[in-house]
Amino acid sequence: MKLRLFAAIIMASSITSSVAAFAHAVCGDRIFPATLGIDDPGVGDELALPTVSYVGGSTQSTDTAFSYTKTILPGFGLSIQGGQTNTQGATTSDALQTEVKYNFLCKSEHEFMASAGFKTNWANTGSTGVSTSYNIYSPVLDMGLGFGSLPSSLNALRPLAMTFELSETIPDPSSTDALANDYDQLNWGFTVQYSLPYYNSHISEIKNDFFKHIIPITEFSFSMPISNISNTPTGTNVITGYIQPGFIYSADTWQFALEATIPINSATGSDIGVKGELHFFFDDIFPQSIGKPIFN
Amino acid sequence: MLRPTLSRLFIIIALVSTSNLALAHAQLLSAVPAVGSVVAVSPDELKLKFSEGIEAKLSKVDLMNATDMIDDIAVLSTDPKDKTVLIAKLKHPLPADTYMVMWRAVSVDTHKTQGDYSFVIKP
C-alpha cells in the first residue's frame, strides 16, 4: 500500500497542472470513456455520431441523434445536440439542446474529476408535439472516480471506476404554458465500469488485442418529478429510469458503445431497447486545429 | 438533405481517425518485462510499447523497489525503428525484488498520459 500511494504521489506531482490533463476526460492514470445514459465528467472536443436508440415490442421507436462539443477555453466547452425519432412510421425532430460545461476539478492522484454544466432545451426547435413552446433548463453536476489508488492487495479492483450525474430539469419558470403543463424533475444516475485497458497497462498484460480495449459497463439513470406533480403523466411522483448493461470498445481516437436499455418499472416503459454510439475524440484526431480550444 | 451531409461527415471522420494521421493520448499496450509478470533474471532494459509515438525527451520512467525509489535508469530513448516503443536502459542488473515502473509519456502530439505497473524478479 505504501508503494502504491508513494508512486501515485510521485507521478501526480511530476505531471504539470497543464490543461492537457483536462482534455479527453483524462485524470491521472484514468481515462473516463464517453457514456450513453449519463454524461462523462470531462470536457473535450468530440463528436458522437450517430447515437442510435431502438425500442422494440409495442413501442417500435428509433431515435438517431448527434452531439458535438467544442472547447472554447481549456476545460470549458459548448455542446450542441439534436436528432430525429421515428415511432411506428412517424418521424419527428427532437428539440435542439445546448450545454455549457466546465471541468473544474481533477485530482490526479485520486483519479477524481468533476464538471458543472448548464443545459438548455430550446423552445420551438423540434417538431410540433415534441418540442415545447418554452425553454427547459438543467443545471448538471458530473463526477468521476477511478479506483486506481487502491493498494496492490486489491489489484483486481483498481480497474474499476464510477461516474455520477445529478441534475434538475426546470421548465422556464416565466412561462405560463410551462406552469400549466410541465413539471420539474430531479435526475440522477451513475455508472460502474471495469476498464480492461487499465487492467492491461497496470495489473497484468492481456494477450487478446480485442479484449484489451473493452470496458464492461452498467449505467443507471433515474428521474423523479418534484413539482407540479399533477402535470405528470401518472399524476404521481413515481421514479422512472433505466438500467443499461453493455460494453465500450475504446480505441485511441474513437470508441463504440453498445448497451441494452431496460426500464426499471412499468411507469418507465414495458419494452427493452438497445442503444449504440460511435464517438470521435477530436482533440486526438485534429490536435492542432478544430481539436483544441479556440482560446488557449 | 441533413442525412447525406451527416453521412459524408461521418465517413470523413472515420477515415481520418483510423488513418496514420490520427494522433492520440498514448496508452501502454504492452511491456517487457510484461505488466504483472514474474521473471527469473534481471532484464538489461525495460521496453514499454505505446499506442502512439512517444517523445523520449519529454517522457519519464522511474523505478521503485519494494521500499524506495532507485536511480537505475541509465538512458531513456525510443526504438529507432519504432517511436511507439520507449526503452529504458538499466545501469546494472537488478537484484531479486518487486519493482514498480512509473511512466509518464508525452506523445508526439504533446498529449500527456501516465501510469504504473509492477513486475517481480524472483530469487
Side-chain angles (χ1 to χ4, degrees):
Chain A
M1 178 166 179
K2 185 182 168 189
L3 188 69
R4 163 113 280 108
L5 183 63
F6 186 46
I9 291 169
I10 290 287
M11 290 311 293
S13 61
S14 69
I15 290 280
T16 60
S17 57
S18 69
V19 295
F22 287 84
H24 198 52
V26 177
C27 185
D29 290 13
R30 183 68 53 172
I31 297 176
F32 293 100
T35 47
L36 305 184
I38 65 173
D39 201 0
D40 67 72
V43 178
D45 288 276
E46 50 196 41
L47 173 72
L49 178 75
T51 305
V52 179
S53 310
Y54 170 75
V55 181
S58 58
T59 307
Q60 289 298 320
S61 176
T62 304
D63 185 80
T64 308
F66 78 96
S67 174
Y68 173 62
T69 304
K70 180 79 202 87
T71 53
I72 312 299
L73 296 164
F76 178 76
L78 171 67
S79 66
I80 181 169
Q81 71 178 66
Q84 288 187 327
T85 303
N86 184 295
T87 304
Q88 298 175 353
T91 300
T92 54
S93 295
D94 304 338
L96 192 68
Q97 185 183 84
T98 60
E99 181 183 17
V100 288
K101 189 175 175 187
Y102 179 54
N103 180 196
F104 62 89
L105 183 65
C106 167
K107 291 287 187 186
S108 299
E109 67 273 28
H110 299 301
E111 300 178 357
F112 176 75
M113 68 191 308
S115 301
F118 189 84
K119 289 181 184 176
T120 304
N121 271 46
W122 294 96
N124 302 313
T125 52
S127 298
T128 306
V130 176
S131 183
T132 55
S133 61
Y134 44 87
N135 293 341
I136 299 175
Y137 306 110
S138 299
V140 185
L141 178 66
D142 290 297
M143 293 178 288
L145 174 67
F147 289 18
S149 57
L150 287 174
S152 303
S153 57
L154 297 173
N155 257 351
L157 298 179
R158 291 179 59 215
L160 269 175
M162 294 184 74
T163 62
F164 310 87
E165 184 173 84
L166 178 67
S167 71
E168 184 178 350
T169 306
I170 308 168
D172 186 350
S174 65
S175 164
T176 52
D177 196 15
L179 285 172
N181 300 297
D182 216 333
Y183 51 94
D184 291 12
Q185 283 191 103
L186 184 67
N187 314 296
W188 68 98
F190 63 94
T191 75
V192 181
Q193 39 191 278
Y194 193 86
S195 174
L196 294 183
Y198 196 100
Y199 186 94
N200 175 66
S201 62
H202 290 75
I203 313 301
S204 184
E205 188 170 327
I206 297 172
K207 299 293 183 189
N208 184 289
D209 197 44
F210 176 76
F211 284 111
K212 70 169 63 170
H213 290 280
I214 295 294
I215 304 172
I217 185 171
T218 300
E219 301 193 53
F220 303 82
S221 57
F222 308 97
S223 292
M224 183 177 74
I226 53 173
S227 76
N228 297 338
I229 307 298
S230 58
N231 289 339
T232 66
T234 60
T236 65
N237 63 344
V238 64
I239 294 172
T240 57
Y242 292 91
I243 299 172
Q244 299 180 206
F247 72 92
I248 296 168
Y249 181 94
S250 177
D252 294 336
T253 57
W254 59 274
Q255 67 163 58
F256 173 71
L258 188 65
E259 297 176 357
T261 53
I262 304 168
I264 62 165
N265 53 22
S266 58
T268 308
S270 54
D271 298 315
I272 293 173
V274 63
K275 191 169 186 177
E277 181 180 274
L278 197 52
H279 203 104
F280 300 95
F281 301 109
F282 279 12
D283 59 329
D284 286 329
I285 301 171
F286 308 110
Q288 304 304 331
S289 54
I290 60 171
K292 64 178 183 179
I294 295 172
F295 306 105
N296 248 319
Chain B
M1 191 65 190
L2 180 67
R3 284 187 173 174
T5 305
L6 287 178
S7 299
R8 282 189 211 109
L9 179 62
F10 165 74
I11 290 167
I12 290 167
I13 294 165
L15 287 173
V16 171
S17 63
T18 54
S19 76
N20 289 331
L21 291 173
L23 304 167
H25 288 81
Q27 297 185 49
L28 183 68
L29 297 179
S30 60
V32 180
V35 175
S37 64
V38 178
V39 296
V41 295
S42 171
D44 298 327
E45 61 190 20
L46 309 176
K47 281 188 177 180
L48 288 77
K49 166 78 173 172
F50 290 94
S51 57
E52 302 297 325
I54 300 298
E55 291 291 349
K57 288 180 180 174
L58 302 175
S59 301
K60 191 176 183 185
V61 174
D62 287 320
L63 200 56
M64 279 184 76
N65 62 22
T67 54
D68 299 303
M69 294 286 293
I70 51 175
D71 180 27
D72 279 12
I73 306 293
V75 182
L76 191 63
S77 61
T78 52
D79 186 329
K81 296 175 184 172
D82 185 356
K83 283 207 76 171
T84 66
V85 177
L86 192 61
I87 299 171
K89 290 270 188 195
L90 298 175
K91 289 178 180 173
H92 47 75
L94 300 169
D97 207 337
T98 298
Y99 293 92
M100 177 171 285
V101 180
M102 294 164 292
W103 55 267
R104 181 187 67 180
V106 178
S107 61
V108 291
D109 62 345
T110 71
H111 281 139
K112 300 177 182 75
T113 48
Q114 66 181 59
D116 61 68
Y117 66 89
S118 299
F119 69 90
V120 174
I121 300 175
K122 65 182 181 183

